[in-house]
Amino acid sequence: MSRPILVFDSGIGGLSVLAEIRKLLPQNDYCYLFDNARLPYGELEEQVLISGCVALIGELVTRIDAAIVVVACNTASTVVLPALRQKLSIPIVGVVPAIKPAALISKSKRIGLLATPGTVRRHYTHKLISQFADGCHVELFGCSELVMMAEQKAATGMLNMQRLAHILAPVVAADLDVLVLGCTHFPMIRNELQFVLGAGVTLLDSGEAIAKRVVTLLTQESYVLDNNVVGGKASMRAYYTKAEISEGLSSTLVDCGFSTIERIATIN
């Protein structure tokens, strides 16, 4: 049994990142922790976010003896990583909005960032833009409702396309050729976003880059990667913080390969 890779998010969005990591490390054991009791993170005060995340992640890291932590949440990554790295000695990977590759591939040099309000207003985000997209016109769109719509789709299989079109109207009007999905929830509704925005807008997220970073760090740590195990079955465990989850969401997690789904108490 390998020491598990712990992927953390506020909700089901981090499953998009987990899927990319599993493509590269299919035989590894995984734990997925989602703090859905405090969703959406984009509306929490910074100190509340930091203290809650550090305590929650730290407790589970100790319990499962995690090899690495992936904070698959753009909002949390912009504020929680320094405090989390002070507490833990294992590698920690955060999520960075794909501003740099967006600027590189844009032909019109008109790009956008679709993220939670918290990510949009962070100094870290604006520093990324000034550092890597100085030659581009960059439009910022903050929306927490899309997070809840992605959660709703995972729980029910349905999404209100009329409402989605209304939310994305400013994005359509901005005449972009590349849109960065700056929240890990958004790749969960990629097809619907693409339908509304049209084929002329390229959607970018950070999932693949995060997965490659995980492999690099584990290799540097001399971690034993289990990809050559023949017939081995990876362990997949999910932990949530809400009092309960819907049958639909539970079914989604089972379909993703999780054999254990249990509640873990929030810590503040």
Side-chain angles (χ1 to χ4, degrees):
M1 297 289 287
S2 62
R3 291 170 61 200
I5 294 171
L6 174 58
V7 178
F8 171 78
D9 191 15
S10 58
I12 51 84
L15 293 176
S16 63
V17 175
L18 176 62
E20 293 293 336
I21 301 172
R22 288 185 71 195
K23 288 179 185 178
L24 301 183
L25 301 172
Q27 299 292 346
N28 274 80
D29 294 338
Y30 292 90
C31 286
Y32 184 68
L33 169 62
F34 59 112
D35 187 15
N36 55 341
R38 303 194 302 161
L39 187 73
Y41 269 11
E43 297 178 3
L44 292 181
E45 293 183 4
E46 284 194 10
Q47 194 50 53
V48 172
L49 185 62
I50 293 169
S51 60
C53 289
V54 170
L56 187 62
I57 295 170
E59 193 275 335
L60 191 57
V61 164
T62 300
R63 185 199 298 190
I64 67 174
D65 189 26
I68 190 170
V69 174
V70 180
V71 179
C73 173
N74 290 79
T75 303
S77 291
T78 57
V79 294
V80 171
L81 294 191
L84 193 59
R85 286 182 171 130
Q86 281 189 335
K87 182 179 179 68
L88 302 177
S89 58
I90 60 175
I92 299 168
V93 179
V95 182
V96 176
I99 298 295
K100 183 178 180 179
L104 290 173
I105 69 170
S106 175
K107 294 179 181 178
S108 69
K109 298 305 176 184
R110 293 184 60 87
I111 67 177
L113 171 65
L114 182 63
T116 64
T119 297
V120 164
R121 66 173 175 260
R122 298 276 190 268
H123 171 72
Y124 179 81
T125 300
H126 291 267
K127 184 178 178 181
L128 279 177
I129 293 170
S130 63
Q131 187 174 1
F132 297 114
D134 191 44
C136 295
H137 174 81
V138 183
E139 293 277 359
L140 303 177
F141 307 95
C143 182
S144 291
E145 187 176 350
L146 288 177
V147 173
M148 305 313 295
M149 291 178 75
E151 290 281 331
Q152 182 72 11
K153 180 187 175 184
T156 66
M158 295 183 291
L159 192 147
N160 186 331
M161 291 299 293
Q162 186 175 1
R163 180 59 186 162
L164 181 64
H166 177 76
I167 292 171
L168 294 178
V171 183
V172 174
D175 192 27
L176 313 170
D177 68 344
V178 182
L179 180 67
V180 177
L181 303 182
C183 171
T184 53
H185 276 81
F186 298 167
M188 310 294 286
I189 54 172
R190 176 187 291 273
N191 292 340
E192 292 85 354
L193 292 171
Q194 194 74 72
F195 179 82
V196 173
L197 296 174
V201 179
T202 299
L203 303 180
L204 285 186
D205 66 80
S206 305
E208 185 178 349
I210 296 166
K212 291 178 179 177
R213 180 62 177 161
V214 169
V215 173
T216 297
L217 286 173
L218 290 179
T219 302
Q220 290 174 352
E221 293 285 315
S222 300
Y223 177 81
V224 179
L225 303 178
D226 291 340
N227 283 354
N228 294 323
V229 176
V230 178
K233 185 172 178 62
S235 168
M236 296 277 289
R237 291 172 282 171
Y239 299 88
Y240 60 92
T241 59
K242 205 171 181 178
E244 59 183 19
I245 59 174
S246 68
E247 289 186 12
L249 180 52
S250 182
S251 296
T252 296
L253 292 169
V254 170
D255 291 342
C256 289
F258 291 98
S259 57
T260 300
I261 304 170
E262 65 180 81
R263 181 176 182 264
I264 184 173
T266 53
I267 305 169
N268 285 303

